Amino acid sequence: MRPKIIKSTAFSKKLLNYLLFLGINTYFVTNTLAQDTTQSHPMYDFVMSKTHAVEDPDKQVGTFDPDNAPSLPIGLVKKIGETKYIICIDSAYFLTDGAYFSAYMALEFPGGNKKIAFAAKDIKFNPEGIIGSEQSKLMLVSEHFIELGEHTKLRLPDDGRNYVSWSCNGFESVNLAGEFIFSKEILIPVGDTSQNVTASFDINVQDLQNVMTTVDFSPFTVKGLSDFEFTVTEATVDMSDYENPNVTLPQCYQETYPDDIKLWRGFHLKYLEVQLPEKMSAHDDPTEIYAQNMFIDEAGVTGTFGANNVLSVGEGDANGWGFSIDNINVGLTVNELTSGGMAGEIKVPIMNNNALDYSALISKNEITGKPDYLFSASPDQPMNIGGLFSKLTIDQSSTLSMTVKNDLFNPTLVLNGDWSLTNPNANFEGLDFQNVTLVTEFPYVTNGQFSLVPTPTDSSSADSTNTQNDPEQSTAKMAKFPISINALQLGVNNGDIGIQANVGLSLGDTAKTDITVSSGFSIFARTETVNNKPSLVFDRFNIQTIEIDLNTNAFGLKGLINFMDDHPIYGDGFEGGIDLTIPKVLGDKNPIVMYTVFGKVNGYKYWAVDVTAPMPLPTAIKGYADGVRVGTSVVLTQISGGLSWHMDNTRSVQTIMDKVKSPVTYENAFSPDYIPDNTKSIGFSAGVGFRYQPVGTESEVSEKLLNGEVIFQIEFNSNGGLSNVLLAGNAYGFAKKSEILSSQAKKYAKGTIAVGYDCDNKIFDLQMTADAQFEGALTASIWSQLYISPSLWYFNFGKPSARCYANALNFATLDAYFMVGQNLEPMPPPPPQVSSVLGGLGNGRDNNAIVNGTGFATGASLMVAVGGGYKKVFNKWHAYADAYFGAGFDLTMVKYASGTHCSGMTEPIGANLWYMQGQLYAYGGMSAGAAKLELDSNDNIQYDQYGNPIILNNFTVISASMAMLLQGQFPNPSYVYGGINLQANIFNIFNLNVTMDFDYGTTCQIIN
């Protein structure tokens, strides 16, 4: 082909235009081709405009012959398959050494969102054709980033490796070299996570619609399966519409392309190495398995991988528990973990290294991006636990769970099954256990529940019974006696793992005497490290409690002995309680209750004995009921007493006032009343129960008039001097004591008084309470205390936080308090009906300053309320009307310690340090209207959780309230505040809310 000499009169203009373009093109190529994107690239836009201009068939030719070419530009077309490849030839010009022209091409990459632009300038031609193959290549005009989908893009650098080869016959091939870049939404790089996973390639192809070539992947993990690292050793990219890799594609792709599977585009990973996470690896060496035929497309990763005999038991380490991986398999479908599992054995050191078969399901954790493992244990034979003389038979319901700690599995084994004990001192079997929890770290055993299982003597008999709970028939033994098992417990005590049990022993001839004895015992095993593994070693066998229940025709005996071993308070020793009933002497429900404790702690011995007994019944022969008469009006119903040595009887005044004790039985005799104390020597207590019963009065009637008890207690110190004295008593009237304590009495009066003197600390404490209730007509409560010590004294008749009060007919409530001395409670704020609408004076006290101050405080209030109910008027509508009124005052006057002053002032407070605070208040209100209430099917009003009727709608006729407040501090400085608030609402139309207040003077924030 020879060059054509263009004779058009427009040739000179075209030549000038081309020279202009050549300068512009040179500038842009020099300054902008290195940009990282084709977006808004002038040269890219120029190529697009040129190639668009030759899309017109009238400007297209099959071969390029300058002698016969139409006016430039022209499109040199070559069709391959269904695709046209068009090269735009433009801007021919002539120089002294020959003719030159420029060429451009835009190729559409399969699946891409934009075309690839190529260009070449100064292409020289002569009659033989294009001169210089390298010079004629159409080079990529800039670095291209092509979006192939939401998660994949193609990067083609402008480094000379991307070009189009052509001739006068048109397009011949395109050489593409670059990398596919994957979004972190599907693939995560190994190592530097700031980068992206890439797959690089270099290919020369004649048809862009039929691209298939090998690619080199960088190592990656799959999002949602980040524990597994993939290294691809052989992979292919399929961008072809005509063929697929020579492998069967997964079913999900078959379903996506039901008409033509060849349209699938993506990556075929033929061979891979999968590195397992550290928790599945042998010691410090990562474990690798091999996989093949996995796929990546725009939706994600699809395929399976797995292996057999991955780890032996000695290689796997689950935080100290050895485990194996006999097999593992993981299946992915478009980045979703759709199948996964592993199986093997795990050894539990604390169970003598017995091995359990396990299996695990592997699932995706959407939050952490790492897999979750759901384990289950499958033991197939009993396990012997030598440290506890035990044999365990594990049920299939046992569970094995794994958490991940420091990149290692951290197992927790929860066992269910059957337990048997073969200790020389105890032997029994057939005990069911549940939720026995084993962990890898101290204390190794954290939980456990046991229950009894029937063990019939003849399993083939339909009438077989639970002999485990029948001492006569049971084969279970403790100290060679037949036993029944009442309770079992697994626990941890000071680092020792123990099994505790409560059993019943058969000690007597049940045909003659009913004797039941129960005992508690413990087996403890300590944890020792053997070959760097925890192991249980038998430690000790303890008997903790013995309980006896003996019934004969003459008497009954119930008791309990508790053995203490290295107790934190009582050291070594025992305590016991017993109830002795003598029906013919004391009655069926009047036991003698005895309590005793003996022991040694911190190098000294201690003991205490306490007895409570009813008065004997032979006095009934003389004509009156149980008890011993004293005079003509009082009958003693019980006596009590106690002796102690080196023990502190802690029944203080406050203890007695905090709770009125119910009748003592052996079950509650174990109380913290007696505490070892070597500063005490002998202690003595005595008490009586009494009933007011004039001669000739029945005991049932007289007990409701007045009954109670009195106790006297005295202790001496180790020097022989008096340590403390206590006198206390309870009195009950209008009802029996038992009725009052069980809240069954509707009419009663009760009171408690306790007075004590602590000689060691010189503290005198007197407290008194009185309560009364008369079937809703009157309810009253009074509390008072006198306290004197070397550093503090006060007398309280009620106080702001515990006022004395009386309520009459649920109509009017009067409360009051009076305090004198030191450590006075602060003056209370006004009631909420006042404080919610008016401001006023704050507390203003420094509580630390007032501890050493002396003064008095008093206050009282009256509250009257009427109405408050609902009366049905129509359907669910109920009318209501109520009113209330209240008034009261509070006054506090204190002499503060020297140096007390107001904040911001230096001169002493008040008059000679006496300072007064006070307040007067009144409030009232009324409301009337109709409310629509929620009713049940029987028209009963429904209430919310606070006891208020549930109101569906409300119509207010009138609602009004008022509040008044006057507060003051004086003298030096003095301050007065007064205020009044009025509110009203009529028919929900007229609303009034007015507040008027004033203040005068300077407030004082008291500082010590």
Side-chain angles (χ1 to χ4, degrees):
M1 181 180 65
R2 60 185 180 84
K4 179 181 179 183
I5 305 301
I6 301 175
K7 300 178 180 179
S8 171
T9 56
F11 174 73
S12 58
K13 293 183 180 180
K14 291 183 179 181
L15 179 60
L16 291 175
N17 289 337
Y18 183 78
L19 291 175
L20 178 62
F21 160 74
L22 180 61
I24 295 173
N25 181 42
T26 302
Y27 172 82
F28 281 127
V29 169
T30 303
N31 293 280
T32 65
L33 287 187
Q35 293 183 5
D36 291 337
T37 177
T38 58
Q39 189 175 22
S40 300
H41 191 290
M43 188 60 189
Y44 179 86
D45 295 340
F46 182 83
V47 172
M48 290 299 105
S49 65
K50 287 295 182 181
T51 56
H52 178 70
V54 297
E55 290 179 357
D56 184 354
D58 293 337
K59 293 188 177 183
Q60 297 176 355
V61 296
T63 59
F64 179 53
D65 182 356
D67 290 331
N68 300 316
S71 300
L72 297 180
I74 61 171
L76 184 58
V77 178
K78 186 174 184 179
K79 188 174 183 182
I80 302 176
E82 299 299 323
T83 306
K84 284 184 177 182
Y85 295 85
I86 305 173
I87 298 175
C88 175
I89 300 175
D90 186 28
S91 304
Y93 63 98
F94 299 90
L95 297 177
T96 57
D97 60 342
Y100 297 83
F101 62 88
S102 298
Y104 315 96
M105 189 172 191
L107 291 178
E108 186 172 333
F109 193 85
N113 63 341
K114 64 192 310 181
K115 293 183 178 181
I116 311 171
F118 298 87
K121 64 184 183 66
D122 299 337
I123 302 174
K124 188 176 183 181
F125 59 92
N126 60 26
E128 281 73 33
I130 299 174
I131 300 174
S133 60
E134 291 299 322
Q135 181 189 14
S136 65
K137 289 180 180 178
L138 306 183
M139 307 303 294
L140 194 68
V141 300
S142 65
E143 183 177 50
H144 280 51
F145 284 88
I146 303 171
E147 300 287 346
L148 300 179
E150 182 180 358
H151 298 132
T152 311
K153 67 172 59 176
L154 172 65
R155 174 181 172 267
L156 297 175
D158 55 341
D159 57 1
R161 293 183 298 156
N162 290 282
Y163 58 87
V164 171
S165 296
W166 65 291
S167 68
C168 291
N169 293 321
F171 171 82
E172 293 182 348
S173 68
V174 59
N175 198 88
L176 296 178
E179 58 187 5
F180 295 93
I181 303 174
F182 299 94
S183 163
K184 294 178 183 177
E185 291 299 313
I186 58 172
L187 300 181
I188 308 295
V190 173
D192 187 359
T193 56
S194 65
Q195 303 298 316
N196 290 81
V197 177
T198 62
S200 59
F201 70 96
D202 192 331
I203 185 176
N204 190 277
V205 64
Q206 287 76 39
D207 185 0
L208 272 183
Q209 303 304 315
N210 192 19
V211 174
M212 187 176 298
T213 186
T214 59
V215 289
D216 293 326
F217 269 84
S218 58
F220 64 87
T221 64
V222 178
K223 184 176 182 182
L225 198 68
S226 58
D227 272 10
F228 299 89
E229 297 181 5
F230 296 85
T231 300
V232 181
T233 57
E234 184 176 335
T236 301
V237 60
D238 174 8
M239 304 302 293
S240 172
D241 290 341
Y242 305 105
E243 57 180 327
N244 293 128
N246 188 24
V247 65
T248 302
L249 295 177
Q251 182 61 33
C252 63
Y253 298 155
Q254 305 286 344
E255 295 171 356
T256 305
Y257 301 92
D259 297 329
D260 188 357
I261 189 61
K262 294 180 180 179
L263 296 178
W264 176 82
R265 291 173 177 172
F267 300 85
H268 171 221
L269 314 182
K270 187 174 183 180
Y271 298 113
L272 309 90
E273 294 178 1
V274 183
Q275 181 176 307
L276 301 185
E278 182 179 350
K279 52 182 168 285
M280 294 185 185
S281 298
H283 307 295
D284 296 329
D285 298 325
T287 298
E288 293 182 348
I289 62 177
Y290 296 93
Q292 59 185 359
N293 294 330
M294 298 187 71
F295 303 86
I296 301 175
D297 66 0
E298 179 56 26
V301 181
T302 300
T304 61
F305 64 88
N308 295 324
N309 302 318
V310 179
L311 290 177
S312 64
V313 173
E315 293 178 322
D317 181 12
N319 202 19
W321 292 11
F323 76 99
S324 69
I325 301 179
D326 296 341
N327 59 76
I328 183 173
N329 63 86
V330 176
L332 293 167
T333 303
V334 293
N335 248 59
E336 291 296 325
L337 183 58
T338 51
S339 66
M342 55 187 286
E345 288 186 343
I346 187 165
K347 283 189 174 182
V348 186
I350 204 169
M351 296 173 61
N352 288 5
N353 270 323
N354 283 285
L356 296 173
D357 292 333
Y358 78 85
S359 61
L361 295 177
I362 305 175
S363 60
K364 179 180 179 180
N365 189 309
E366 299 291 349
I367 298 176
T368 64
K370 293 187 176 182
D372 284 335
Y373 302 87
L374 179 61
F375 283 80
S376 62
S378 304
D380 56 3
Q381 58 185 357
M383 299 181 179
N384 292 313
I385 311 299
L388 294 175
F389 294 96
S390 302
K391 182 171 73 175
L392 305 181
T393 302
I394 311 300
D395 286 347
Q396 295 294 323
S397 60
S398 301
T399 60
L400 175 66
S401 62
M402 293 277 193
T403 58
V404 177
K405 182 178 181 181
N406 297 327
D407 289 328
L408 293 177
F409 280 131
N410 191 42
T412 298
L413 183 61
V414 180
L415 299 177
N416 303 318
D418 182 79
W419 173 61
S420 61
L421 175 71
T422 56
N423 182 267
N425 293 313
N427 179 24
F428 46 84
E429 61 184 14
L431 301 176
D432 179 64
F433 62 86
Q434 292 185 341
N435 299 326
V436 176
T437 304
L438 307 181
V439 295
T440 60
E441 298 176 347
F442 185 84
Y444 304 110
V445 182
T446 62
N447 192 19
Q449 296 176 349
F450 290 80
S451 61
L452 305 179
V453 178
T455 310
T457 55
D458 182 4
S459 60
S460 62
S461 172
D463 297 325
S464 61
T465 58
N466 183 359
T467 60
Q468 186 71 67
N469 292 312
D470 185 350
E472 290 301 311
Q473 300 184 37
S474 175
T475 58
K477 305 284 184 180
M478 189 174 78
K480 299 183 180 181
F481 288 99
I483 62 173
S484 62
I485 302 170
N486 304 319
L488 284 169
Q489 184 178 11
L490 182 74
V492 178
N493 181 25
N494 294 328
D496 295 336
I497 300 172
I499 297 173
Q500 297 180 340
N502 183 272
V503 299
L505 283 75
S506 178
L507 297 177
D509 184 355
T510 57
K512 298 178 181 179
T513 305
D514 183 11
I515 304 178
T516 301
V517 178
S518 63
S519 176
F521 70 90
S522 299
I523 300 175
F524 288 100
R526 66 181 183 273
T527 304
E528 291 186 353
T529 301
V530 179
N531 296 326
N532 296 321
K533 301 290 184 181
S535 180
L536 283 181
V537 179
F538 175 75
D539 188 16
R540 62 191 184 279
F541 181 91
N542 290 339
I543 295 179
Q544 295 154 333
T545 60
I546 296 178
E547 188 170 1
I548 186 169
D549 188 351
L550 169 64
N551 291 294
T552 69
N553 292 332
F555 66 93
L557 193 65
K558 289 185 177 182
L560 180 69
I561 300 175
N562 182 31
F563 295 90
M564 296 174 291
D565 182 12
D566 198 21
H567 191 278
I569 296 177
Y570 293 94
D572 299 326
F574 71 91
E575 61 178 350
I578 196 166
D579 286 2
L580 173 63
T581 57
I582 309 176
K584 293 183 179 180
V585 178
L586 302 175
D588 294 333
K589 299 181 179 180
N590 297 288
I592 298 175
V593 181
M594 293 175 283
Y595 167 73
T596 184
V597 59
F598 288 85
K600 181 178 180 180
V601 65
N602 297 330
Y604 66 91
K605 296 180 180 180
Y606 62 85
W607 56 266
V609 178
D610 206 326
V611 179
T612 299
M615 300 303 291
L617 271 180
T619 53
I621 301 173
K622 300 178 182 180
Y624 49 86
D626 57 302
V628 174
R629 180 171 293 282
V630 179
T632 60
S633 301
V634 178
V635 172
L636 301 183
T637 58
Q638 73 175 29
I639 59 172
S640 63
L643 283 173
S644 64
W645 174 256
H646 282 332
M647 299 202 82
D648 183 15
N649 189 339
T650 60
R651 284 181 291 198
S652 65
V653 171
Q654 192 61 51
T655 301
I656 293 175
M657 299 306 296
D658 286 343
K659 65 175 183 177
V660 178
K661 294 184 104 178
S662 58
V664 178
T665 68
Y666 82 96
E667 294 172 321
N668 62 22
F670 296 96
S671 67
D673 286 352
Y674 287 101
I675 302 295
D677 187 349
N678 66 348
T679 65
K680 310 291 184 183
S681 59
I682 194 74
F684 169 77
S685 65
V688 296
F690 66 89
R691 179 177 68 246
Y692 174 73
Q693 184 178 350
V695 175
T697 305
E698 296 182 2
S699 61
E700 183 77 15
V701 176
S702 64
E703 184 179 359
K704 292 186 177 182
L705 293 177
L706 179 64
N707 66 91
E709 59 266 339
V710 178
I711 185 172
F712 173 74
Q713 171 184 313
I714 186 170
E715 289 182 347
F716 297 90
N717 58 39
S718 58
N719 298 320
L722 185 64
S723 179
N724 60 68
V725 180
L726 173 67
L727 178 65
N730 299 318
Y732 305 90
F734 302 100
K736 294 182 179 181
K737 175 183 176 181
S738 59
E739 295 174 344
I740 297 175
L741 295 180
S742 61
S743 302
Q744 296 178 350
K746 296 183 179 180
K747 180 174 68 173
Y748 67 86
K750 64 178 181 179
T752 301
I753 184 170
V755 55
Y757 183 66
D758 184 344
C759 301
D760 296 331
N761 299 302
K762 296 181 174 54
I763 297 175
F764 176 82
D765 190 1
L766 173 107
Q767 295 188 47
M768 182 192 73
T769 64
D771 297 279
Q773 177 175 302
F774 295 96
E775 297 180 307
L778 176 68
T779 303
S781 178
I782 297 173
W783 171 86
S784 64
Q785 180 181 17
L786 174 62
Y787 183 92
I788 302 174
S789 73
S791 60
L792 181 65
W793 77 273
Y794 56 83
F795 170 72
N796 292 339
F797 184 79
K799 51 187 177 180
S801 61
R803 298 177 181 233
C804 302
Y805 75 90
N807 177 275
L809 301 173
N810 290 324
F811 168 73
T813 300
L814 175 66
D815 62 59
Y817 65 90
F818 176 79
M819 304 183 295
V820 62
Q822 298 170 290
N823 198 26
L824 306 181
E825 278 195 6
M827 184 180 76
Q833 295 91 335
V834 177
S835 60
S836 62
V837 293
L838 294 172
L841 188 65
N843 175 17
R845 300 195 322 161
D846 180 352
N847 291 330
N848 294 324
I850 203 172
V851 169
N852 297 318
T854 302
F856 72 90
T858 185
S861 68
L862 175 66
M863 168 72 175
V864 178
V866 295
Y870 289 88
K871 182 176 181 180
K872 188 173 183 179
V873 292
F874 174 75
N875 198 4
K876 293 186 177 182
W877 286 91
H878 291 66
Y880 63 88
D882 57 66
Y884 63 91
F885 174 78
F889 75 93
D890 295 282
L891 178 66
T892 299
M893 189 167 185
V894 176
K895 183 175 183 179
Y896 288 90
S898 177
T900 304
H901 60 91
C902 297
S903 176
M905 302 180 182
T906 57
E907 61 271 17
I909 191 175
N912 196 24
L913 296 175
W914 284 94
Y915 199 63
M916 178 181 292
Q917 293 185 96
Q919 64 184 9
L920 293 169
Y921 55 83
Y923 58 91
M926 62 172 294
S927 63
K932 187 177 182 181
L933 305 180
E934 183 171 321
L935 308 176
D936 62 13
S937 58
N938 296 319
D939 283 348
N940 296 315
I941 299 175
Q942 300 299 291
Y943 297 87
D944 61 19
Q945 58 180 333
Y946 305 107
N948 302 314
I950 300 176
I951 298 175
L952 303 177
N953 202 351
N954 182 54
F955 177 75
T956 301
V957 176
I958 184 172
S959 174
S961 66
M962 71 87 182
M964 295 184 293
L965 176 64
L966 181 64
Q967 294 181 319
Q969 294 177 315
F970 53 90
N972 189 29
S974 296
Y975 178 79
V976 177
Y977 169 83
I980 182 170
N981 175 267
L982 300 174
Q983 297 183 25
N985 181 303
I986 301 176
F987 294 111
N988 285 329
I989 299 175
F990 175 76
N991 287 282
L992 174 68
N993 189 340
V994 177
T995 299
M996 296 175 288
D997 60 0
F998 70 92
D999 64 342
Y1000 176 78
T1002 303
T1003 60
C1004 178
Q1005 180 64 41
I1006 301 172
I1007 297 176
N1008 185 11

